Amino acid sequence: MTKRTRYFMAGAATVLALGLCTGLVAYYGGLPALSASRTGPDELSYVPADAAVVAYADIQTVMNSQFRQKLREAIPMKENERNEFEEKTGIDVERDIQYIIAAMSPDAANGGSRVVLARGTFNQGRLEALAREHGGQIQEYRGARILSRMVAKATEESTEPRVRRHGGKHPALAFVDTGLVAIGDEAGLKKAIDAHHTGQSISGNEEMMRLVGDIEAGSNAWAVGRFDALRNHEKLPAQVHNQLSAVKWFAATGHVNGGVSGSLRAEARDDAAAENLRDVVRGLLALAKLQGGSDPRAAALVQSLQLGGTGKTVILSFAVPAEVVDLIAKSARHHTEMERGEAPEPPEPPRPPMPPVPDR
Amino acid sequence: MKMDTESTPGTQSTGSTRGGSPSLFSSAVRVFDISVGEMLWSRRTIFMALVVGGPVVIALAVRAALFLTGRVGRVDGVAMTGQAMFGMMIWFFYLRFTVPVLGVFYGTALIADEVEDKTLTYLFTRPVRRGAVLLGKYLAYFAVTSLVVLPSVMIVWLLIAPIGGTGLAVSFIPLLKDLALLAIGLGAYGALFAFIGAKFKRPLLTGLIFVFGWEQAALMIPGYLKKFTIAYYVQALVPHAMPQEGVMSLIQGLFRDTPSLPVSLLCLAIIWFGFLWLAARTVERKEYVLEQ
């Protein structure tokens, strides 16, 4: 064997060995950058691989949008509650939270688990002190600090309904990374941390990542998932349940600024099921157009609805222009004033009639 | 060139196993040592470089497009993940083309090239068994093609797999399966075509008809005929979904029945070692008459 042949064979074997080593290291979670998602936010690496629904919201953009400002003017928030929350936690939702990711896993045995990941600025010390105040326990898990059982030692009467609301699980909070907290039940949080460390996250779920990858750039809120998870979880009327049984996947996206635009995409079981679904939506749209004809706000909203999609895909898109948002905000403001018992401004009194001019 | 098919069973050329002559394995290693360089730096290497370099160039282009546009490729308006893209490349470039074609070109040439170049006499006059010549050349084929095809797959995987949310971790086990099945495919196709090259006239044409005629047709026909192909067993080992592109793929997908893993592995082992033994036996027994 010549030297040239030996070099070639050694080079080829080295490429093979290096690739295998890289794969092996990534497989055992040693290369999070290669193990994790390149589509969607990096925090998806904390979402367990079996999650049925994943949602994202860019809180900063939504909070600073004109849409939000208009709504805030129309429906003023309860400032006291907001200030109290900020005082206790040190978190100003509008300023400190950049974006959140929520995921739902269909854990049949335990009624499902939910995890919310929030990226932002958090005062860890203050939150830990608050947790201790409420009898919370702090534990370390794979480098993350988990604050759990925060309501267990509070007055039983007040905590019972809250615990029941979480499916019998105590809410917990984990500082999983710098500027990243996860909220959910303790088991769910540990599962999320495991997903990140082992690389067995939603990033490896081909179907889900296909949906995430397909989300239009610029959407500041979206949700994707398996439709059966929603059907089984939410108590839908039997008729609606049957109609939607053909839908396998869904993806909802939204863009909020002066107005609101977005789309809802559903992937049906087959072409025939998608065509049926399109027919149903078409019928509903026609009905909505008939109903909303007299109301300019509803008419504008209905006119913006567009049905599309081919094959197994059904897409319903909408765009609510800023003018319609203005109308809705104005209407909401009026409604709020009425609820508060503030009488609307009286109409201007009619001008007194001019005195008759005597005939000459 | 003329190859006489007259056989003289039991006859051995000079250098067959006799007292003091090297064993079959050590003879094969010696032939391997000589053949590997010849095979690697032959004219066929250009063809092989093109065949295995194509997917790497495409993977680089996909990466460049992703870097420039920030979006991954779409099929029917749906963004593709790296894993799906890699699966398609394994099917289209490697499994359906590279492996059988390299098997045909290199496998049929193991003996046929020596006959054509009229150098077979020199090999057969060496003090080694004729079967060892075939075995050594076959090992050289397997080493050369594996060390060219598998690194190419590895580079494509490193470039493509992380795209679109599917990290390397998730597709690592399927990659190991891909590498193993491609190696098995190269081995099985190589053994079959080594036999064809040793036995038949115009082995290249026969091999091409087998790969692009018989195998494609048999996989489309419902029934047992597909069991007489190598692709049937190799395709059963693929961890990626079979792409349904093109009429032939659609029909093949329609009539596809997949043998179980043990059955596939057993059949491939039988094909591999069976045809290799047959090829060695043919070389040992056949009298090659070189055309002057």
Side-chain angles (χ1 to χ4, degrees), chain A residues 91 127 137 145-150 170-175 181-186 189:
Chain A
I91 299 170
L127 287 169
Q137 293 174 358
R145 283 173 78 80
I146 301 179
L147 319 182
S148 58
R149 301 187 175 275
M150 279 176 285
H170 292 280
L173 183 144
F175 295 95
V181 297
I183 302 153
D185 60 87
E186 196 180 320
L189 293 185

Side-chain angles (χ1 to χ4, degrees), chain A residues 26-348:
Chain A
Y27 184 69
Y28 285 104
L31 286 172
L34 289 173
S35 311
S37 159
R38 295 287 173 88
T39 300
D42 291 342
E43 289 76 10
L44 288 181
S45 64
Y46 285 95
V47 175
D50 65 344
V53 179
V54 182
Y56 166 89
D58 185 342
I59 301 291
Q60 286 270 299
T61 313
V62 173
M63 287 295 184
N64 294 330
S65 66
Q66 292 171 22
F67 174 77
R68 151 85 180 150
Q69 301 307 325
K70 283 171 192 168
L71 276 189
R72 199 173 168 182
E73 280 169 25
I75 313 162
M77 279 185 67
K78 291 172 183 172
E79 292 294 326
N80 290 347
E81 280 181 16
R82 201 182 133 189
N83 292 341
E84 195 185 344
F85 178 76
E86 191 179 342
E87 231 170 69
K88 280 185 179 174
T89 61
I91 299 170
D92 180 351
V93 177
E94 286 188 26
R95 190 194 60 212
D96 295 333
I97 297 179
Q98 290 171 27
Y99 54 86
I100 59 164
I101 292 148
M104 189 179 90
S105 296
D107 184 1
N110 299 311
S113 63
R114 296 180 183 87
V115 174
V116 177
L117 294 148
R119 171 67 72 186
T121 312
F122 307 101
N123 188 336
Q124 191 170 339
R126 200 161 170 180
L127 287 169
E128 284 187 9
L130 185 70
R132 279 199 195 94
E133 248 177 59
H134 287 78
Q137 293 174 358
I138 298 172
Q139 54 172 309
E140 286 272 345
Y141 185 74
R142 287 192 155 187
R145 283 173 78 80
I146 301 179
L147 319 182
S148 58
R149 301 187 175 275
M150 279 176 285
V151 291
K153 287 189 180 172
T155 53
E156 288 300 317
E157 282 169 22
S158 60
T159 59
E160 264 313 297
R162 290 180 69 183
V163 172
R164 210 179 299 135
R165 262 208 311 273
H166 285 84
K169 297 167 185 172
H170 292 280
L173 183 144
F175 295 95
V176 290
D177 197 4
T178 311
L180 182 67
V181 297
I183 302 153
D185 60 87
E186 196 180 320
L189 293 185
K190 285 183 176 173
K191 200 174 165 185
I193 295 164
D194 287 342
H196 176 73
H197 281 271
T198 59
Q200 305 295 311
S201 67
I202 195 79
S203 309
N205 186 326
E206 205 173 321
E207 285 291 345
M208 290 287 269
M209 293 318 294
R210 179 176 63 77
L211 294 171
V212 174
D214 211 32
I215 287 163
E216 281 176 30
S219 298
N220 36 37
W222 52 258
V224 298
R226 279 196 346 249
F227 207 80
D228 62 329
L230 280 188
R231 275 201 313 268
N232 299 335
H233 201 263
E234 304 302 333
K235 301 280 178 286
L236 296 171
Q239 209 172 356
V240 179
H241 190 280
N242 291 340
Q243 196 62 53
L244 294 176
S245 62
V247 180
K248 276 178 73 181
W249 299 95
F250 77 91
T253 60
H255 181 82
V256 180
N257 197 7
V260 185
S261 62
S263 70
L264 178 64
R265 203 182 83 202
E267 279 184 31
R269 201 176 42 232
D270 48 41
D271 289 8
E275 195 51 50
N276 280 343
L277 193 61
R278 270 193 287 272
D279 286 344
V280 171
V281 177
R282 216 172 274 129
L284 288 173
L285 284 180
L287 194 66
K289 277 177 187 170
L290 276 174
Q291 294 282 323
S294 55
D295 186 345
R297 289 164 302 178
L301 193 66
V302 172
Q303 284 302 327
S304 76
L305 291 168
Q306 296 289 326
L307 180 66
T310 54
K312 287 191 276 190
T313 310
V314 181
I315 301 170
L316 184 65
S317 56
F318 66 93
V320 185
E323 297 77 39
V324 178
V325 174
D326 285 340
L327 279 173
I328 294 168
K330 200 172 171 184
S331 171
R333 198 181 305 132
H334 179 72
H335 184 73
T336 312
E337 283 168 359
M338 292 288 281
E339 269 193 344
R340 280 182 188 166
E342 289 173 8
E345 283 179 20
E348 283 183 21

Side-chain angles (χ1 to χ4, degrees), chain B residues 111 250 254 287:
Chain B
I111 295 298
L250 274 173
L254 201 65
E287 201 62 49

